[in-house]
Amino acid sequence: MGCLPEKKSENQKNITGTEGSSIDNEESIIYEGILIKERNIDPHDFYEELNILGEGTYGIVKKVRHKISKVIRAMKIIDKNKISHGGENSIINEINILKSLDHPNIMKVYEYFKKDNYLYIISELLSGGELLDKINDNGYLSEEVSSFIMTQVFSAVDFCHQKGILHRDLKPENILIESEAEAKKEFFTIKIIDFGTSGKLKEDEDELFKFSVGTPLYVAPEILGNEKYDTKCDMWSCGVIMYMMLSGKAPFNGENEEEIYQSIKKGKYDFDSEKWDEISNDAKDLIRHLLTFDTNKRFSAKQCLNHPWIIKHRRNKKINKVKLTEVVNNFKNYSAHLKMQQLTLAYIVHNLIPKKDCEFLRELFFIFDESGNGRLTKEELIKGLNYILPLKEAENEVNRLMNIIDVDQSGFIEYEEFLRAGLNKEKILTKENLETAFNLYDINHRRKINVEEIGKILGNNKKHICQEILNEADVDKDGEINFSDFKTIMEQC
């Protein structure tokens, strides 16, 4: 149900190898600890349980509702006594990886709680089912639908690889359809989940890993050969997924794991069935560039996004200029220069804004994102605004926005940065949202925030940053931020 699923049923188990790996936060320093917050309190203070979504060996997944915002989430409850040695570290590692991945096709985690012997992980609710079920139900998917899905997969994978993150267990079971409503559509939105076996390449190494991890049908041959491997292992998995969508069958098979491994090591697959006679040469060409032993010749996600098969089936949507004008006006009114403003907007947009309020902005983001890599360049944003603004005015507005929005100094506008500026402030800065955000800082429940409380949110080793945040937001200069101060500076965003 899209909330950090457990590893694995017997027929889906990973190959032996569970080296843990941590990830350095690549966001700006002021975002550390704010978007996905660890809390050592009872989650039921904030969430009410609705019903059970699923049960497993280590825990249970429930549908929950945030008591203040009324947003629906998934809560996974994990009994720490039942997980294996190092299992908790693996879960925290997954959360930390997801924390750095702001992409519309990657599952969101919102916060996690530690209470007694349990971990409670709050994620978005993905209720549309697995891509594997969609393939099995239909037998196969059309080229148009398959290309639409693979575009989303390649975009998310490219985003991960640009950050040096390998997924290492890409498969249709780890690609979920966003909602039941999406599942009924011919062209549906997907989210990649399960980063429990993910790892991060070190900046000073082109290749890092040399241990087996993955799921038999989808694992790359270099992993089976105990060779060093890099991001290209994910691209092999993408080739297997694409082959399965188009034909309904896996390219490498066997009666047991060993036979599957031998089939992969041989690398022999075919397009001999009648089904493949109906499939275009472009589709077969892309599969060949993915299911190749030579990792230097194996396509990257970026190359896949520029392949003729992807470009040919790209769905061009017309922009609603009336709605775009509203978004551009929101851009023009956006002026969150203070760190407290930026932090609070990031928290509210990430945690409290319903998906329905972001639908047009997400559609717009995909239209603007011509490269398909899940983030906007300055040039792409200028071109987008140029639909309704003169070019020079669009350039000036984008230059202004980049200085404010791009707080992580990446040179790109990422998805939630785009949402923060594009959403109407009235939807973001509701009384309920401001109260919830204020309570996040107000750890001691005094209706005042001091520098120590800010330190507990951002990390006490950031004292100079914490003091700067306090000084900026302390309207009446009494050394603390009360709710009136907080509301005043937030209304100036």
Side-chain angles (χ1 to χ4, degrees):
M1 291 295 176
C3 185
L4 299 173
E6 296 171 5
K7 319 275 190 300
K8 295 285 186 289
S9 64
E10 188 60 31
N11 64 341
Q12 297 172 354
K13 65 183 180 181
N14 283 351
I15 304 168
T16 303
T18 56
E19 177 183 311
S21 56
S22 62
I23 180 171
D24 296 324
N25 193 337
E26 298 183 14
E27 298 293 330
S28 167
I29 193 170
I30 69 167
Y31 284 95
E32 293 179 7
I34 189 71
L35 293 186
I36 302 174
K37 182 65 186 156
E38 177 187 320
R39 296 181 174 187
N40 295 306
I41 51 180
D42 190 340
H44 298 97
D45 292 345
F46 304 93
Y47 294 92
E48 59 179 315
E49 297 182 0
L50 299 179
N51 57 273
I52 295 174
L53 298 173
E55 296 184 56
T57 306
Y58 306 122
I60 187 169
V61 180
K62 295 184 177 181
K63 184 178 181 179
V64 295
R65 180 190 291 118
H66 192 274
K67 289 182 177 180
I68 297 176
S69 70
K70 306 303 179 186
V71 174
I72 302 298
R73 301 279 186 243
M75 174 193 286
K76 184 164 189 177
I77 306 168
I78 299 170
D79 186 342
K80 291 196 284 186
N81 293 322
K82 294 182 179 180
I83 57 180
S84 60
H85 177 70
E88 182 176 348
N89 289 336
S90 176
I91 292 167
I92 301 304
N93 176 63
E94 178 174 8
I95 291 169
N96 285 334
I97 286 179
L98 285 166
K99 183 176 181 176
S100 71
L101 298 176
D102 174 17
H103 190 282
N105 296 120
I106 296 175
M107 184 188 75
K108 276 187 185 182
V109 169
Y110 298 101
E111 53 191 337
Y112 63 103
F113 299 82
K114 293 182 179 180
K115 180 68 173 174
D116 301 326
N117 289 319
Y118 292 91
L119 289 173
Y120 301 83
I121 302 164
I122 310 297
S123 78
E124 64 179 315
L125 177 63
L126 304 175
S127 57
E130 297 175 358
L131 176 61
L132 182 63
D133 293 332
K134 197 78 169 178
I135 296 170
N136 289 336
D137 290 345
N138 292 277
Y140 60 88
L141 302 180
S142 71
E143 285 198 51
E144 291 78 8
V145 171
S146 296
S147 181
F148 184 73
I149 303 308
M150 290 309 302
T151 297
Q152 296 175 73
V153 172
F154 291 141
S155 178
V157 171
D158 184 49
F159 188 84
C160 292
H161 290 176
Q162 292 297 320
K163 289 180 173 286
I165 294 169
L166 289 71
H167 188 285
R168 299 195 296 192
D169 197 21
L170 289 170
K171 56 186 178 181
E173 298 95 311
N174 286 339
I175 299 172
L176 298 189
I177 302 171
E178 186 175 57
S179 66
E180 293 179 12
E182 283 290 319
K184 295 175 182 177
K185 297 178 180 178
E186 181 180 10
F187 297 92
F188 47 87
T189 302
I190 59 91
K191 299 263 187 173
I192 293 178
I193 66 165
D194 200 350
F195 285 75
T197 57
S198 298
K200 183 172 171 59
L201 292 171
K202 294 181 180 178
E203 292 181 1
D204 59 348
E205 295 185 40
D206 292 329
E207 298 174 324
L208 174 65
F209 302 105
K210 195 179 178 180
F211 60 93
S212 295
V213 65
T215 301
L217 283 174
Y218 310 92
V219 70
E222 60 267 27
I223 295 179
L224 293 177
N226 292 317
E227 303 169 25
K228 287 187 176 181
Y229 59 89
D230 60 11
T231 55
K232 291 297 182 68
C233 70
D234 284 340
M235 302 316 300
W236 176 280
S237 302
C238 287
V240 176
I241 293 168
M242 181 175 164
Y243 187 104
M244 289 182 67
M245 280 199 293
L246 290 171
S247 68
K249 297 180 180 179
F252 308 104
N253 278 299
E255 294 295 324
N256 52 50
E257 287 184 8
E258 187 55 38
E259 288 188 11
I260 294 172
Y261 298 156
Q262 291 304 317
S263 178
I264 293 170
K265 288 176 182 178
K266 291 176 183 176
K268 292 183 179 180
Y269 61 93
D270 61 62
F271 298 127
D272 293 341
S273 69
E274 290 184 6
K275 176 64 193 149
W276 286 104
D277 292 339
E278 306 167 4
I279 295 171
S280 69
N281 289 329
D282 281 343
K284 295 172 187 175
D285 179 74
L286 182 51
I287 290 173
R288 290 190 186 100
H289 278 97
L290 290 168
L291 298 182
T292 177
F293 270 51
D294 188 340
T295 56
N296 291 318
K297 293 181 179 178
R298 192 181 302 163
F299 269 18
S300 67
K302 185 179 182 66
Q303 287 175 297
C304 291
L305 287 166
N306 290 309
H307 188 273
W309 186 69
I310 293 293
I311 293 172
K312 175 184 177 182
H313 295 291
R314 189 168 289 160
R315 303 174 75 227
N316 296 317
K317 288 190 174 183
K318 291 184 178 180
I319 293 179
N320 183 320
K321 291 190 176 181
V322 174
K323 289 186 176 181
L324 177 57
T325 301
E326 294 175 5
V327 171
V328 171
N329 287 335
N330 293 337
F331 284 159
K332 290 180 176 181
N333 292 326
Y334 185 80
S335 58
H337 293 281
L338 303 183
K339 288 184 175 63
M340 176 64 85
Q341 294 171 331
Q342 294 167 348
L343 276 168
T344 303
L345 288 173
Y347 175 77
I348 291 174
V349 168
H350 183 82
N351 289 280
L352 304 177
I353 301 298
K355 286 181 182 177
K356 62 181 177 61
D357 289 347
C358 303
E359 286 178 357
F360 177 71
L361 279 169
R362 182 166 70 172
E363 181 181 311
L364 199 62
F365 184 86
F366 282 127
I367 294 172
F368 285 4
D369 180 23
E370 292 187 345
S371 66
N373 64 1
R375 52 189 186 176
L376 301 180
T377 64
K378 187 176 181 178
E379 292 71 26
E380 286 173 330
L381 199 51
I382 289 171
K383 185 174 180 180
L385 268 60
N386 191 212
Y387 277 102
I388 61 169
L389 295 180
L391 180 59
K392 189 63 179 177
E393 186 178 348
E395 290 174 347
N396 290 338
E397 181 58 28
V398 169
N399 285 331
R400 187 190 72 85
L401 279 173
M402 291 289 289
N403 288 331
I404 306 174
I405 302 175
D406 185 25
V407 293
D408 60 3
Q409 304 292 303
S410 67
F412 300 92
I413 299 299
E414 295 187 359
Y415 180 56
E416 286 195 359
E417 291 175 334
F418 184 76
L419 294 183
R420 286 170 220 156
L423 281 166
N424 189 307
K425 280 198 302 185
E426 292 181 2
K427 290 186 177 180
I428 300 177
L429 303 178
T430 64
K431 180 182 177 181
E432 293 78 12
N433 287 349
L434 288 176
E435 284 281 356
T436 301
F438 184 82
N439 289 336
L440 176 76
Y441 303 107
D442 182 23
I443 294 171
N444 297 324
H445 308 295
R446 300 177 303 115
R447 298 296 289 172
K448 291 183 179 181
I449 306 166
N450 59 32
V451 71
E452 287 77 19
E453 288 172 309
I454 297 173
K456 288 180 180 178
I457 296 292
L458 302 185
N460 287 315
N461 60 331
K462 316 290 190 308
K463 288 184 179 179
H464 63 293
I465 298 289
C466 298
Q467 190 63 55
E468 183 182 345
I469 290 171
L470 180 72
N471 293 341
E472 287 180 343
D474 182 13
V475 176
D476 55 16
K477 303 303 176 186
D478 63 352
E480 296 183 310
I481 304 170
N482 58 40
F483 186 73
S484 177
D485 292 339
F486 180 75
K487 187 170 181 289
T488 297
I489 65 158
M490 291 310 302
E491 288 174 347
Q492 295 171 357
C493 289

